[in-house]
Amino acid sequence: MPINLTLRRFRFTLAFLAVMLVANALAGTFSGELPANALAGWGIGKDAVWSGEIWRFVTATFLSYDRGMLVRQLFFAAAILGYTEWKQGSVSTLVLFFSLDLAASCMLLLGVALWPDTAGLSAAHDVGMSLGGFGLIGLAVSGMRWRFPLLAAILLMIGLKIASAFDPLADIGHIIALWLGFLLGLAQLRMSAR
């Protein structure tokens, strides 16, 4: 495939990766770790969003805690965004990613607000694009032949990760996003079958 066609075919994925790199370079992640003031100022969390800072839904998406997370997120974003963009096109991928990311984030933050505050979750901040990414994984899996065993395997992997190192905001958010994408995909399949 000629380079111009590749660039056009994956323009959302490439633009997303570029914004991630620039955002992390400007925030200071390249020096090793996202500075605490950047996490507090740009990360997403219940208290911040409830106080009206809704722009954090976007800023938190592009940041990473440290260089290792940034590298993992770059590969993860390239894979799941690229796969979705290949299958559904650039505009659909943009809409699906940000819709699933926003919906999962809102559900997560609502859960934090309704659940008795434990370990300061209301004031905690999170960063990363994984909620939208897990939403797209759920969407992709819903269209596969072995959708339910695959969903169970992914949930098992999340469960193993939780057992080894529980990160409440991220881990619960991944489960919510995975289910949202999966249910959206099932709904799309049902509508297309009519």
Side-chain angles (χ1 to χ4, degrees):
M1 183 180 284
I3 190 124
N4 286 343
L5 289 177
T6 301
L7 293 175
R8 286 188 63 212
R9 182 72 185 230
F10 297 106
R11 61 184 177 264
F12 173 68
T13 302
L14 295 170
F16 191 95
L17 296 173
V19 172
M20 278 181 70
L21 287 169
V22 170
N24 282 282
L26 293 174
T29 309
F30 282 11
S31 64
E33 192 171 293
L34 182 68
N37 64 335
L39 177 62
W42 300 98
I44 194 166
K46 196 270 290 176
D47 287 351
V49 170
W50 258 239
S51 68
E53 298 175 358
I54 58 172
W55 43 265
R56 289 177 182 252
F57 284 111
V58 175
T59 58
T61 299
F62 294 100
L63 295 175
S64 300
Y65 284 114
D66 55 37
R67 279 188 303 231
M69 179 185 177
L70 175 60
V71 171
R72 290 189 304 275
Q73 295 250 331
L74 286 169
F75 281 109
F76 180 51
I80 193 59
L81 292 175
Y83 174 83
T84 307
E85 194 166 12
W86 178 264
K87 293 286 192 179
Q88 304 212 18
S90 300
V91 174
S92 292
T93 302
L94 182 149
V95 170
L96 286 165
F97 174 82
F98 284 109
S99 297
L100 288 165
D101 189 71
L102 178 64
S105 296
C106 287
M107 290 178 72
L108 176 64
L109 296 179
L110 182 60
V112 169
L114 296 175
W115 194 265
D117 190 30
T118 56
L121 276 184
S122 287
H125 295 98
D126 193 25
V127 291
M129 53 70 60
S130 59
L131 295 190
F134 270 87
L136 293 179
I137 288 172
L139 183 70
V141 166
S142 71
M144 296 179 180
R145 182 174 181 194
W146 300 100
R147 63 181 64 95
F148 292 106
L150 284 170
L151 178 66
I154 295 167
L155 288 168
L156 176 63
M157 286 188 281
I158 294 172
L160 292 172
K161 190 273 175 195
I162 288 171
S164 67
F166 184 43
D167 180 353
L169 285 179
D171 294 333
I172 295 168
H174 294 162
I175 294 168
I176 291 169
L178 181 69
W179 273 106
L180 279 175
F182 189 79
L183 294 173
L184 175 63
L186 291 181
Q188 288 177 338
L189 287 172
R190 176 172 278 191
M191 291 180 72
S192 66
R194 289 183 177 177

